[in-house]
Amino acid sequence: MTATLLTSDEQLHWNEFGYLHIRNALGPDEVSAILAAITDLHQRVTGQPRSPQPCDDAAAWDDVFDAGNERDLSIANAIAHVEALGPLLDHYAVFGRILGLMGPYVQVLGSEIFIRYPHQQPLVDFHTDLGPSLRLAAPSHGKQIQLKVQFFLTDLTEPDSGNFTIAPGSHTRGFPGKIAYADVEDPVQILARAGDAVIFPLSLGHGVAPNRSATSRVSVVLRYGQIFCRTVDYRTASPGLLDRLTQRQCRLLGDFGVRSRPGDVYGAVPDQLDLIYGSEWAGIEEAQRDIRKARIDQLAYETL
Ligand SMILES: O=C(O)CCC(=O)C(=O)O
Ligand SMILES: [Fe+2]
């Protein structure tokens, strides 16, 4: 596979429809390892009696969210609870696209596991993920401030299987913060196989279809943001988690090494581009351009 950031076709598709569907982003072995780890965690968090063992400590129960409506269960701070998710942070099949859409000053603000149970009604109403603050400030073009990637771990090749459902093109039209599933005109259910990934901006209207199949749908969502954005799951990633990740994956969780003051995200970060583009993407023209610009900025910081 040749390394790319974003092809012009992908950029056009993103601009028009507001998402990218990357097929077979994960191979079958990756899917089964992650799914087994999530199934195990799910059994532990739903098993009785509750004990602190599902996560690192008892407080981690706060990350488990069960609305009690038999529609779904979600687990926030997923990267901290499932070791097999670490490689998704900068996965080769999607990370280049994320850099193409966002540029290299990115981090992962949060990660979430979704287990969506069989249920006759839509599982989640339509909404955007912007919230009132980002809605006001979000630019309509240029690099994304935040976006999400959803990795599907079970097959969703038929509609009404708890599919991720979108209002294509709504990302540029000021979609409401929340609206009943039934009130959305022409919702499109994404038909995905286990291993596919979908990247979408927070401004895209999306919801979750009913799950009239016999099995639960399982997926993982990562939220990426510019490095100045506030994290969702953590203030500082725990040392235990960082110990088992690569340097780039640690950077993506806000670890700036010796440069650890909060204000550093507003200055030049000397090793950011080399680390983030890495050997995989550094040779691409757009990356080279960014790297040259960053060197000039860095020099100016140091010498002027
Ligand atoms: O489960 C889904 O397909 C959608 C979840 C969702 O709304 C989100 O990750 O923002
Ligand atoms: Fe959402």
Side-chain angles (χ1 to χ4, degrees):
M1 212 192 313
T2 4
T4 50
L5 293 180
L6 204 61
T7 65
S8 48
D9 281 353
E10 286 170 339
Q11 183 71 67
L12 287 173
H13 192 276
W14 176 274
N15 294 348
E16 185 168 353
F17 301 110
Y19 72 101
L20 293 180
H21 185 160
I22 299 161
R23 294 177 200 277
N24 304 311
L26 305 180
D29 292 349
E30 289 172 291
V31 170
S32 52
I34 295 171
L35 192 56
I38 289 178
T39 306
D40 180 57
L41 176 62
H42 182 226
Q43 278 166 0
R44 280 183 285 139
V45 300
T46 53
Q48 295 292 334
R50 286 199 161 185
S51 72
Q53 55 170 343
C55 315
D56 293 331
D57 54 61
W61 277 108
D62 293 350
D63 292 330
V64 179
F65 181 72
D66 184 349
N69 59 9
E70 297 184 344
R71 297 184 190 202
D72 57 25
L73 178 137
S74 62
I75 302 172
N77 204 9
I79 296 282
H81 303 310
V82 178
E83 198 169 333
L85 297 179
L88 300 190
L89 292 168
D90 56 350
H91 197 282
Y92 188 72
V94 297
F95 194 58
R97 267 73 167 228
I98 291 161
L99 299 179
L101 289 161
M102 301 189 72
Y105 296 97
V106 289
Q107 61 177 334
V108 175
L109 304 170
S111 54
E112 210 168 358
I113 293 165
F114 291 115
I115 300 173
R116 304 220 177 267
Y117 303 131
H119 197 282
Q120 290 303 310
Q121 299 304 317
L123 296 180
V124 180
D125 281 314
F126 265 71
H127 61 281
T128 65
D129 294 329
L130 291 167
S133 164
L134 190 50
R135 180 172 307 122
L136 273 180
S140 55
H141 56 80
K143 298 293 186 206
Q144 301 293 311
I145 292 183
Q146 290 190 25
L147 54 72
K148 284 188 176 181
V149 183
Q150 176 147 230
F151 291 92
F152 298 100
L153 299 164
T154 48
D155 279 335
L156 291 151
T157 47
E158 298 293 328
D160 290 343
S161 312
N163 307 61
F164 178 57
T165 304
I166 61 168
S170 59
H171 61 311
T172 56
R173 292 194 219 118
F175 194 86
K178 188 159 183 192
I179 174 173
Y181 188 99
D183 291 342
V184 174
E185 270 177 46
D186 305 324
V188 171
Q189 298 195 27
I190 302 283
L191 302 183
R193 280 192 186 285
D196 288 4
V198 169
I199 310 180
F200 61 100
L202 304 192
S203 55
L204 183 75
H206 62 279
V208 183
N211 183 0
R212 299 186 176 130
S213 81
T215 51
S216 297
R217 180 266 261 192
V218 183
S219 63
V220 172
V221 168
L222 299 184
R223 180 196 284 251
Y224 289 80
Q226 299 292 340
I227 57 174
F228 63 78
C229 292
R230 190 165 169 156
T231 54
V232 175
D233 281 343
Y234 59 93
R235 289 201 174 81
T236 309
S238 70
L241 170 57
L242 296 179
D243 281 350
R244 55 175 201 252
L245 298 176
T246 66
Q247 217 188 334
R248 178 164 64 198
Q249 290 164 354
C250 289
R251 177 61 54 86
L252 288 169
L253 295 181
D255 175 19
F256 284 85
V258 287
R259 298 174 61 82
S260 60
R261 292 163 309 162
D264 287 339
V265 300
Y266 298 103
V269 186
D271 59 348
Q272 177 77 3
L273 279 82
D274 292 334
L275 190 57
I276 292 290
Y277 281 129
S279 54
E280 300 97 319
W281 295 283
I284 296 170
E285 200 184 319
E286 196 180 335
Q288 282 291 313
R289 216 172 38 230
D290 285 349
I291 290 168
R292 276 197 302 275
K293 261 197 262 162
R295 292 220 171 101
I296 293 168
D297 278 354
Q298 181 69 33
L299 201 65
Y301 269 99
E302 284 166 10
T303 56
L304 293 182

